[in-house]
Amino acid sequence: MKEINQQFDVAHHFVSVLEQDDSMSPGIAAIKTLLMVLEKTKFDTVQELHSTIQSAVRAMRDTDKPMTSVVSGTELFSRFITLAKFDDKTMDEVRDIMLRRGKMFLTKLLESRNVIAKQAIAFINDGCRILTHARSRTVREALILAAQHNKRFHVFITHSAPECGSPNGTISDGQQMATELEKAGIECTIILDASVGYVMETVDMVLVGSEGVVESGGIINRIGTVTMAICAKEMKKPFYVLVESFKFCRLYPLNQRDLPDDYKYRKSDLTNKAKAHPMVDYTAPGYITLLFTDLGILAPSAVSDELIKLYL
């Protein structure tokens, strides 16, 4: 394996990209980091290139950032950039081809949220009441786009525990989401996570984002999502998930225990999981009405077919 340029710290670059752009998903930041690795590293063989990419992914997984979209995004990135034929190419030409394909892949992903938002606004009607969980960048973009189309609605946002809303951790994700939506002229109410059942009967739909979509069509998302989904199912409210296709991952959990530990916990908490709180939970496909993705609007049962297409 070729050593990555001594001056380039993969983990530091990955974390700094996320800190510089608060609206960026960890998966997108990971792909941008891998592109930087390709630019800064010389290779003698394709195998060395693969080994270096895997080493960079491991370095990013050693950080305390959410890992679900990092794993799925980097797997798809590696798959996409190696689809070209390299038989008659020099290594410099191979590297240039991979960089070009990687940048093309990133450009397509950066358009995903806008595609999803355009699909979702058709389901948002004037006067409707929407419940969402914590802070999803994809949901935020869809709601702001709906407001720009002169739709008037009210959003209930779960408070969610302080985690990454601010550098000092005093502002919750729900508060940050409310601030961003109110700036766009959207009426918001922040509610306690424990009051989801109380509020559910007054809303028309639930919109949530997702950190990952598994093969069954279920989702991995911020802790508390499964509670919201169960309440929505019981009260017959549609539960919609807005998620980019690069978050589709090759996992098939049947329950919460089946989720990998590095998806559920921060890296720094893995040594003492008994006292750590999981960051995400798993919501089974039976609780999900539809998934709005850049591949189209999907029923949960269609996810496995789309995963096969992505990895063919």
Side-chain angles (χ1 to χ4, degrees):
M1 182 193 79
K2 280 285 182 189
E3 290 297 322
I4 300 171
N5 190 312
Q6 292 288 329
Q7 301 301 315
F8 183 64
D9 185 329
V10 172
H12 181 266
H13 181 80
F14 169 63
V15 171
S16 66
V17 168
L18 283 172
E19 289 175 349
Q20 289 166 15
D21 187 352
D22 188 47
S23 67
M24 187 175 296
S25 160
I28 296 291
I31 290 168
K32 285 192 170 188
T33 302
L34 289 185
L35 280 171
M36 187 64 71
V37 169
L38 284 176
E39 289 178 1
K40 289 184 171 292
T41 313
K42 294 289 185 181
F43 307 97
D44 294 327
T45 66
V46 173
Q47 184 58 45
E48 284 181 350
L49 184 148
H50 282 298
S51 298
T52 303
I53 287 177
Q54 292 307 312
S55 176
V57 172
R58 285 194 297 272
M60 288 185 280
R61 292 184 74 164
D62 279 338
T63 67
D64 264 353
K65 298 300 179 182
M67 282 298 110
T68 311
S69 65
V70 172
V71 175
S72 59
T74 53
E75 281 185 2
L76 277 173
F77 175 82
S78 300
R79 174 71 177 157
F80 185 80
I81 65 172
T82 55
L83 284 177
K85 293 183 178 179
F86 304 126
D87 297 344
D88 57 346
K89 307 292 184 184
T90 67
M91 276 311 299
D92 283 341
E93 290 173 328
V94 168
R95 184 165 160 272
D96 289 342
I97 291 170
M98 287 188 171
L99 274 170
R100 188 164 60 250
R101 288 182 66 82
K103 289 174 181 176
M104 185 193 314
F105 181 70
L106 178 61
T107 300
K108 183 179 178 182
L109 294 187
L110 291 174
E111 297 170 355
S112 297
R113 285 184 192 162
N114 189 45
V115 172
I116 294 166
K118 288 178 180 177
Q119 294 171 349
I121 61 172
F123 287 71
I124 299 174
N125 300 315
D126 275 330
C128 73
R129 295 157 70 87
I130 300 167
L131 175 61
T132 190
H133 185 39
R135 177 176 179 258
S136 163
R137 302 169 183 90
T138 312
V139 171
R140 179 191 63 195
E141 187 157 326
L143 294 174
I144 289 175
L145 184 63
Q148 290 171 349
H149 280 70
N150 297 317
K151 295 191 177 187
R152 294 293 172 260
F153 48 89
H154 193 102
V155 182
F156 294 87
I157 308 165
T158 53
H159 191 279
S160 199
E163 184 176 2
C164 56
S166 69
N168 59 15
T170 58
I171 301 176
S172 74
D173 284 354
Q175 288 172 310
Q176 188 174 0
M177 179 77 158
T179 299
E180 292 164 349
L181 293 181
E182 285 169 348
K183 284 181 180 177
I186 299 169
E187 292 183 4
C188 300
T189 301
I190 299 174
I191 65 170
L192 295 174
D193 292 38
S195 66
V196 164
Y198 180 89
V199 173
M200 187 65 71
E201 64 182 26
T202 70
V203 303
D204 298 296
M205 71 179 76
V206 179
L207 292 182
V208 299
S210 178
E211 293 190 19
V213 182
V214 301
E215 292 182 46
S216 63
I219 63 168
I220 301 168
N221 195 41
R222 185 68 177 268
I223 191 79
T225 303
V226 66
T227 307
M228 188 177 286
I230 292 169
C231 288
K233 180 81 170 180
E234 181 64 26
M235 297 189 185
K236 297 179 174 55
K237 306 292 183 178
F239 187 90
Y240 299 131
V241 180
L242 280 59
V243 60
E244 304 97 315
S245 61
F246 75 86
K247 294 180 179 178
F248 285 20
C249 49
R250 293 185 290 182
L251 285 175
Y252 206 109
L254 298 177
N255 52 45
Q256 309 299 335
R257 294 186 301 277
D258 287 344
L259 291 179
D261 284 343
D262 60 345
Y263 285 30
K264 291 190 287 188
Y265 302 102
R266 294 178 181 276
K267 183 72 176 179
S268 56
D269 290 333
L270 287 175
T271 55
N272 191 12
K273 292 183 291 183
K275 293 188 177 180
H277 199 287
M279 297 187 295
V280 299
D281 57 30
Y282 166 64
T283 303
Y287 298 115
I288 298 168
T289 309
L290 290 172
L291 296 107
F292 294 82
T293 78
D294 46 301
L295 302 176
I297 301 174
L298 307 175
S301 58
V303 170
S304 58
D305 291 337
E306 294 300 330
L307 259 172
I308 291 170
K309 292 176 189 177
L310 287 172
Y311 282 96
L312 272 179

